[in-house]
Amino acid sequence: MLVLTRKTGEAIQIGDDIEITVISVKGDQVKLGINAPKHIDIHRKEVYLTIREENEQASAEVKNIFDILGKVNKQ
């Protein structure tokens, strides 16, 4: 993990397309601004993990359906 120190108004650049700017710091809360291309999804970590879990469950259900259909076709 890379750890950087930034002040309000300062930014970090990720590659050519992503810039993260510190908008404000208030107590233990940091407000960030993110400039990135529209095709890049940006989520809070807890939202990302929920989406990933739901996608894994959905794909497992599809696999189960294919397994069931495979058994039916063999009969």
Side-chain angles (χ1 to χ4, degrees), residues 58-69:
S59 65
E61 292 172 12
V62 169
K63 182 183 179 304
N64 290 340
I65 290 171
F66 285 136
D67 289 343
I68 292 168
L69 289 174

Side-chain angles (χ1 to χ4, degrees), residues 4-73:
L4 300 171
T5 302
R6 302 277 69 202
K7 295 178 182 175
T8 301
E10 294 181 335
I12 60 171
Q13 186 75 30
I14 301 174
D16 293 330
D17 299 332
I18 301 171
E19 180 180 314
I20 301 173
T21 304
V22 177
I23 304 299
S24 68
V25 179
K26 195 175 205 178
D28 64 349
Q29 197 171 53
V30 178
K31 189 180 286 189
L32 302 172
I34 304 170
N35 285 321
K38 292 187 185 281
H39 69 275
I40 295 178
D41 293 332
I42 301 172
H43 301 285
R44 293 182 320 229
K45 179 78 177 251
E46 64 274 14
V47 172
Y48 171 79
L49 293 175
T50 300
I51 292 168
R52 191 172 78 178
E53 183 179 316
E54 289 174 358
N55 287 341
E56 288 172 359
Q57 289 174 358
S59 65
E61 292 172 12
V62 169
K63 182 183 179 304
N64 290 340
I65 290 171
F66 285 136
D67 289 343
I68 292 168
L69 289 174
K71 291 175 185 174
V72 170
N73 287 337

